[in-house]
Amino acid sequence: MKNFVYVITDRNRTSLHVGMSSDLIKTLDFYKQMPCLFFDSGQQLTRLVYFEEFKTEAQALSRFKLISRFTRTQKERLVRSCNPDWVDLTIGLDFEHITSGRKMINQVNLTFNMLS
């Protein structure tokens, strides 16, 4: 089973949260559907900016503990090392799940007459 350690942030990058999960997509869906109990809409943790995949839970747990002790500056360096533009990685992560289950909406069928 896969285990993930991730860093998630809000749209303004004011808070960085480190987490660990065995089902990253389900965890991210939880964050996005969670009501604004603790934060306003601008501070909801919805952007996955960094993640690592591990084979065992013990490896993931030790890495989670290490990254959790990082200062904010160290966490920012970690994110920038792999994701310098702080792009939301959720879209790429869910791409395989989206395309395997249904036909793509943006797919266009062109006939040969239109191509020439």
Side-chain angles (χ1 to χ4, degrees), residues 1-5 20-22 52-64:
M1 182 185 346
K2 297 178 184 178
N3 292 282
F4 298 92
V5 174
M20 184 176 121
S21 175
S22 60
E52 294 180 39
E53 182 179 330
F54 297 93
K55 292 182 181 179
T56 66
E57 189 175 346
Q59 291 173 333
L61 184 60
S62 66
R63 184 66 173 163
F64 168 74

Side-chain angles (χ1 to χ4, degrees), residues 3 5 7 9 14 25 27 33 38 42 45 47 49 55 62 80 83 88 92 97 101 103 108 111 113 115:
N3 292 282
V5 174
V7 177
T9 187
T14 54
I25 294 173
T27 303
Q33 294 173 3
F38 305 108
L45 302 172
R47 293 186 183 196
V49 291
K55 292 182 181 179
S62 66
R80 285 194 179 106
N83 188 359
D88 186 3
H97 179 262
K103 189 175 178 179
V108 178
T111 61
N113 296 343
L115 294 173

Side-chain angles (χ1 to χ4, degrees), residues 37-106:
L37 294 176
F38 305 108
F39 306 106
D40 64 11
S41 62
Q43 293 177 322
Q44 281 186 317
L45 302 172
T46 57
R47 293 186 183 196
L48 176 70
V49 291
Y50 179 83
F51 71 94
E52 294 180 39
E53 182 179 330
F54 297 93
K55 292 182 181 179
T56 66
E57 189 175 346
Q59 291 173 333
L61 184 60
S62 66
R63 184 66 173 163
F64 168 74
K65 288 179 180 179
L66 177 68
I67 295 175
S68 294
R69 289 191 304 256
F70 281 6
T71 64
R72 180 175 177 89
T73 306
Q74 290 173 317
K75 290 176 189 174
E76 287 178 356
R77 272 192 223 131
L78 180 67
V79 171
R80 285 194 179 106
S81 69
C82 298
N83 188 359
D85 296 327
W86 293 70
V87 176
D88 186 3
L89 303 174
T90 307
I91 297 167
L93 215 161
D94 202 23
F95 181 74
E96 292 176 4
H97 179 262
I98 291 170
T99 56
S100 65
R102 60 180 182 235
K103 189 175 178 179
M104 291 180 66
I105 296 170
N106 296 337

